[in-house]
Amino acid sequence: MSNENFSVTPWEVKGKVDYDKLIIQFGTQKITPELKEEISKLIGGDLHVMLRRDIFFSHRDLDLILKDYRNGKGFFLYTGRAPSLGMHIGHLIPFIFTKWLQDKFKVNVYIEITDDEKFMRNQEYTLEQTRQWAYDNILDIIAVGFDPDKTFIFQDTEYIKNMYPITTKIAKKLTFNEVKATFGLELSSNIGIIFYPALQIAPTMFEKKRCLIPAGIDQDPYWRLQRDIAESLGYYKAAQIHSKFLPPLTGPEGKMSSSIPESAIYLTDDPKTVERKIMKYAFSGGQPTVELHRKLGGNTEIDVSFQWLYYFFEPDDNKIREIEEEYRSGKMLTGELKEILIEKLNNTLEEHRQMKEMAKDKVRLFKYDGKLATEMWNKIHE
Ligand code: TYM
């Protein structure tokens, strides 16, 4: 990674990511038009905006997942979240997409909430805090609209008893050397964080079907380890579908991150805050004066407001093309583009807040694992 001017790890994204180069670095596959066509045929309808626009752009074994689906073997979905004080709109990406996959393929979804990971990785947080955040983040995740009959949300510090047998088997297969090299750990790293990868890998083995993981590509190092050991434990190598990162407000480099408040719109931001942040911070691809802008037009490649609309806030393909043309030609000014985004964002956030309010009554439904007639469940309770 050192000879590139960007880097992607599970903890940090630096620079402007070249996603084609990342595919080569990480050894993953590009999602081809043929693969998209096949998905469209299997679901008998249109693709999600994030697939159409290559926000989900890379994969491993997605072709095998589709084959298992066609043959009636089926598959299951797994994704997760290390809880923080507040989720931002970038965090919605994997969950919105996972929900769409669940709707289309009617499969089980497992969602791991790693309150332990967050605690062990950050000196300043207490376990009580990360557990409290877990509850709040779970409400945000439920608000995305998962099917309670097919979705199991579990929190590591609570569910550990049931995960421990498979985690122990995984841990025995991984050496400190491998984990240290994969995650850049030090001899001085606490031993919790050394063990933790076994816990993130465990849910890929919750069923004896192939597992598909929708997530940002930053999580890839875990899956590389999983793929080295899965078959020796009698499970499938995990398949993945990777997304790009929603850029921070402040510019096209890096990713939106909860630890940099001016980079993010939080799910709790009220309409006034959204307006203020976008107007003040949203990095513009426009020209310095109106006159120049009318003449030269704006650059949609680096304009964060346009990028956010493109990622998913303007799912209508005709409308986004229109906005792109008008902005590039100079007909639309930066302020006008920002107004469009502010309205879309506030509508989405308002809807989310209402769904989150309703989620409070549903937590037990989502955390109840008895509904999942999986081998995991049977094994635990036999
Ligand atoms: P965490 O909490 O850092 O991130 C949760 C998910 O959000 C994605 N993500 C983003 N996607 C697009 N744009 C962004 N700006 C952005 N920021 C974060 C992440 O890629 C991730 O998919 N260790 C994990 C928790 C975990 C997990 C999993 C994640 C446990 N099991 C299985 C994915 C799949 C973590 O710290 O995620």
Side-chain angles (χ1 to χ4, degrees):
M1 256 179 240
S2 50
N3 55 354
E4 304 289 356
N5 39 18
F6 66 90
S7 84
V8 175
T9 71
W11 347 115
E12 197 177 40
V13 176
K14 278 200 219 145
K16 184 159 175 24
V17 182
D18 180 329
Y19 287 102
D20 286 331
K21 281 195 183 148
L22 200 60
I23 283 181
I24 297 167
Q25 260 182 29
F26 281 9
T28 64
Q29 311 281 306
K30 205 174 178 128
I31 300 179
T32 58
E34 293 73 30
L35 210 46
K36 288 198 229 177
E37 180 64 37
E38 201 185 336
I39 297 173
S40 181
K41 259 193 219 146
L42 280 176
I43 64 172
D46 289 341
L47 295 176
H48 193 271
V49 60
M50 293 181 196
L51 256 185
R52 291 202 306 275
R53 298 188 189 160
D54 294 327
I55 307 306
F56 277 83
F57 71 109
S58 148
H59 78 100
R60 281 202 185 93
D61 289 351
L62 182 59
D63 44 336
L64 298 182
I65 289 281
L66 299 180
K67 192 167 155 214
D68 282 0
Y69 180 75
R70 261 197 323 269
N71 296 341
K73 266 200 210 160
F75 67 93
F76 68 100
L77 293 161
Y78 158 47
T79 194
R81 162 89 182 125
S84 68
L85 179 56
M87 280 174 69
H88 59 60
I89 53 170
H91 290 130
L92 286 180
I93 290 180
F95 295 103
I96 291 175
F97 189 66
T98 303
K99 180 219 171 314
W100 180 79
L101 289 171
Q102 177 178 60
D103 285 350
K104 296 297 165 189
F105 291 99
K106 306 271 178 279
V107 289
N108 286 342
V109 172
Y110 296 83
I111 301 176
E112 179 176 42
I113 308 295
T114 58
D115 50 356
D116 52 346
E117 176 196 10
K118 196 71 175 191
F119 166 64
M120 292 188 293
R121 186 155 282 290
N122 296 279
Q123 285 307 332
E124 67 271 34
Y125 303 150
T126 66
L127 187 58
E128 290 66 35
Q129 274 175 316
T130 64
R131 296 188 82 179
Q132 181 58 39
W133 298 338
Y135 172 75
D136 181 71
N137 287 195
I138 286 170
L139 296 181
D140 281 317
I141 292 168
I142 293 173
V144 169
F146 289 98
D147 174 356
D149 293 332
K150 288 196 168 63
T151 308
F152 176 45
I153 302 180
F154 57 101
Q155 201 170 317
D156 284 351
T157 61
E158 292 175 356
Y159 199 58
I160 187 68
K161 178 175 174 225
N162 298 329
M163 293 168 78
Y164 203 54
I166 191 68
T167 306
T168 309
K169 290 182 191 172
I170 295 164
K172 194 175 175 184
K173 293 268 174 194
L174 298 174
T175 67
F176 178 43
N177 256 339
E178 283 163 325
V179 172
K180 185 168 170 283
T182 307
F183 296 100
L185 301 180
E186 308 284 344
L187 285 177
S188 59
S189 300
N190 73 61
I191 59 172
I193 218 65
I194 300 168
F195 180 77
Y196 170 74
L199 269 159
Q200 180 152 337
I201 290 171
T204 66
M205 300 177 192
F206 275 10
E207 296 193 27
K208 282 260 163 128
K209 293 176 183 169
R210 219 178 280 276
C211 169
L212 175 64
I213 307 167
I217 194 161
D218 57 331
Q219 299 298 309
D220 191 65
Y222 291 99
W223 321 133
R224 275 179 249 151
L225 288 181
Q226 193 274 1
R227 290 170 65 87
D228 286 345
I229 61 164
E231 286 174 348
S232 70
L233 288 169
Y235 293 88
Y236 288 104
K237 290 182 178 181
Q240 298 115 58
I241 181 158
H242 305 116
S243 82
K244 297 176 182 170
F245 305 107
L246 189 71
L249 257 182
T250 41
E253 300 200 346
K255 68 166 180 177
M256 181 178 287
S257 163
S258 336
S259 46
I260 313 168
E262 66 276 14
S263 81
I265 296 286
Y266 295 94
L267 299 180
T268 48
D269 282 348
D270 61 30
K272 280 264 158 282
T273 309
V274 169
E275 186 175 357
R276 187 182 54 78
K277 281 190 181 173
I278 299 293
M279 285 303 182
K280 185 163 176 194
Y281 297 118
F283 185 85
S284 165
Q287 304 298 337
T289 64
V290 172
E291 212 180 20
L292 268 181
H293 188 86
R294 295 278 187 225
K295 201 163 135 200
L296 303 173
N299 181 352
T300 49
E301 299 285 316
I302 58 166
D303 191 290
V304 168
S305 304
F306 180 79
Q307 287 296 319
W308 287 12
L309 287 167
Y310 188 80
Y311 264 63
F312 66 106
F313 286 106
E314 179 47 86
D316 183 322
D317 289 341
N318 290 328
K319 282 199 187 144
I320 197 77
R321 217 170 295 129
E322 225 171 81
I323 293 172
E324 186 172 16
E325 278 164 18
E326 290 196 3
Y327 192 60
R328 278 182 170 279
S329 71
K331 199 171 158 204
M332 184 184 285
L333 299 173
T334 299
E336 292 165 329
L337 181 65
K338 287 188 174 187
E339 288 294 346
I340 298 176
L341 177 66
I342 291 166
E343 195 190 333
K344 292 273 172 195
L345 267 171
N346 279 332
N347 289 344
T348 306
L349 292 179
E350 180 51 35
E351 203 179 305
H352 183 85
R353 272 189 288 271
Q354 287 173 17
M355 293 289 281
K356 186 171 180 178
E357 201 45 45
M358 290 194 282
K360 288 181 183 159
D361 298 329
K362 297 188 193 155
V363 176
R364 279 171 56 205
L365 281 181
F366 281 93
K367 280 189 151 183
Y368 172 61
D369 57 354
K371 66 199 158 199
L372 296 170
T374 63
E375 275 124 70
M376 168 81 179
W377 172 252
N378 294 334
K379 236 190 280 168
I380 294 160
H381 296 90
E382 72 197 1

